[in-house]
Amino acid sequence: MPRLKFAMVCASNNNRSMEAHALLSQHNMQVASFGVGNNVKLPGPSQKQPNVYKFGTPYQDIYNDLLKQNRDLYVKNGLLPMLERNMSVKQAPEKWQDNRTIFDVAFTFEERVMEQLVEDMNRRSQGTMKILLVVNMVCNRQAGFVSCPVGCLGALQDRLMRPCMTLYGPIPIICLLGSADECKFCHVALLPAEATQ
């Protein structure tokens, strides 16, 4: 069986999708990550003052900006350590809607993100009609801003890869063992994966 291509998708391509991207990369899996939002939004000094950046803004630039604003605040809330991790994985956050790579499986971590991904895929023209398996995993929000994805994908090990039956036969899919209190499979969708435009 050929190696599968995984997409990890959250709103801003900083927290959940990047934790998952880093984790699957460590297991030598073909993986990329994306955000579906209009902009990259990160917590600011208050709920009404988020830090907003364009997709494609390098993680290093975001890091430097937050460092100048308030180093203590952004170390304490975990943003600067998160961005350090992100910089070790790739250069900048990417927008799902601008992506044209064909994936086998896409993981989302919020229902609204899955809905945006599905809506985008349904708007695209189809080529080969290859299927994309979309799995939404609901994280426990109380797990915290940075620790949430660890609860979702922290159990990933080679031994946890199990076959999952789909319309086109068995494929390996991550099984969450020992982390049921942190997240669960919420939705699974099968969509045409290839877009010609």
Side-chain angles (χ1 to χ4, degrees):
M1 176 182 247
R3 290 181 70 202
L4 299 176
K5 287 185 180 177
F6 292 88
M8 302 293 146
V9 187
C10 67
S12 292
N13 195 200
N14 266 276
N15 187 17
R16 295 168 177 84
S17 62
M18 286 301 293
E19 177 69 22
H21 186 160
L23 198 54
L24 269 67
S25 292
Q26 290 168 15
H27 286 75
N28 298 315
M29 299 172 77
Q30 292 187 70
V31 60
S33 58
F34 305 91
V36 295
N38 292 326
N39 296 292
V40 173
K41 279 189 182 179
L42 298 174
S46 73
Q47 208 168 15
K48 293 182 179 180
Q49 296 175 288
N51 289 290
V52 180
Y53 305 93
K54 291 182 179 178
F55 278 97
T57 303
Y59 292 117
Q60 181 72 62
D61 292 356
I62 298 171
Y63 182 92
N64 292 341
D65 183 47
L66 297 181
L67 198 60
K68 278 188 241 174
Q69 284 184 40
N70 191 332
R71 182 186 186 281
D72 291 342
L73 171 65
Y74 295 121
V75 167
K76 185 177 177 181
N77 74 4
L79 278 183
L80 292 180
M82 179 190 76
L83 288 163
E84 288 170 4
R85 178 209 58 209
N86 294 354
M87 287 185 281
S88 73
V89 175
K90 66 179 192 178
Q91 183 179 0
E94 298 173 78
K95 191 173 175 73
W96 169 264
Q97 291 87 337
D98 297 335
N99 161 65
R100 289 300 178 264
T101 302
I102 300 170
F103 292 97
D104 300 291
V105 184
F107 280 95
T108 61
F109 303 94
E110 289 182 74
E111 188 172 348
R112 68 183 178 89
V113 171
M114 181 182 187
E115 288 169 356
Q116 286 177 267
L117 186 151
V118 169
E119 184 181 322
D120 174 68
M121 293 302 292
N122 284 333
R123 278 200 303 259
R124 299 185 186 192
S125 304
Q126 302 306 319
T128 63
M129 296 300 287
K130 182 178 175 183
I131 291 174
L132 171 67
L133 174 66
V134 182
V135 180
N136 184 53
M137 293 168 29
V138 179
C139 294
N140 179 355
R141 286 264 180 194
Q142 294 177 345
F145 178 69
V146 174
S147 63
C148 180
V150 177
C152 283
L153 290 171
L156 174 64
Q157 297 175 13
D158 292 338
R159 63 185 174 81
L160 297 185
M161 298 302 291
R162 299 234 181 121
C164 173
M165 290 305 296
T166 68
L167 294 179
Y168 57 104
I171 65 166
I173 177 171
I174 297 168
C175 294
L176 299 172
L177 302 181
S179 59
D181 57 330
E182 296 295 338
C183 62
K184 60 185 177 180
F185 286 124
C186 181
H187 297 95
V188 177
L190 293 167
L191 299 168
E194 184 173 17
T196 56
Q197 300 184 30

